[in-house]
Amino acid sequence: MLVTPCFAEQSNKGVSTNDNGSLSDYEFLLSCGFSKDVLDNLPEENYIRLREMVGDNEVEVVHSTSTSQMARGAIDAKDLKVYMDVALTYVSGTNTVAGCIVTASWVWAENKPINKLNEDGITVNWSSEYFNLANFMSQDWYKTTATGEEIVAKEYETPALANQGGIGFYTKPTTWKPFVGGGMLLYLENSIPMYRGDDYSSTINLEYAHDYSVGIGGFSFGAYDFSIGIDFKSMCDS
């Protein structure tokens, strides 16, 4: 999915603006092409964080996907939804690639998963030839039954494992809460000079693994695994 680039300007106290006038951070991110599915399953405080990742750059969401679009995966899509957007940022007014924003959110169905004793593992991989890790943040949350608001249970600012082309981190479904989920914001800086229209292609891969075992010593994993491709050559000038 190719979305018309969004031109960012300075924001003031959570209000972002563009040529269409004053927009909330949520509206601004939607106008940039970030998907409603990802944004609706992130605590609102992350809209400002994501807006800050955009900064003064142009941003172009090059693809978004969800588990409902995936044909493979051992976790039942009725139990867990995982959404991911990949966006390129450009130095304002140029075709120079500044970096890549990866946003993801995941939400379990009511009273799922059955096993909330163990941590679930998430890995994100990219082409180290093109990108380096610059910024990472993930959160575990639960929803209040009264208002449906996402309450952050735990926040992580450092992945459990990081190498040149990927990270691994954990998410812990909150025990005794009927609605649980989480989200991630990831910013990658380009490791070589890149421009819109270059003959490069890259892939961002995310895998969510859940341990279904409920007894001591059990070991039964299910996983979602999907990729988003970036084709710089297909990016159009605006």
Side-chain angles (χ1 to χ4, degrees), residues 12 23 28 58 61 65 74-75 99 102 109 111 147-148 176 192 209:
N12 182 28
L23 297 173
F28 177 83
E58 299 171 27
V61 178
T65 194
I75 301 176
V102 184
N111 295 318
T147 65
W176 312 125
I192 61 173

Side-chain angles (χ1 to χ4, degrees), residues 119-139:
E119 294 177 316
D120 292 346
I122 299 174
T123 58
V124 183
N125 296 286
W126 58 85
S127 303
S128 59
E129 178 183 0
Y130 302 130
F131 297 109
N132 294 317
L133 176 64
N135 195 1
F136 164 85
M137 188 280 301
S138 71
Q139 293 174 328

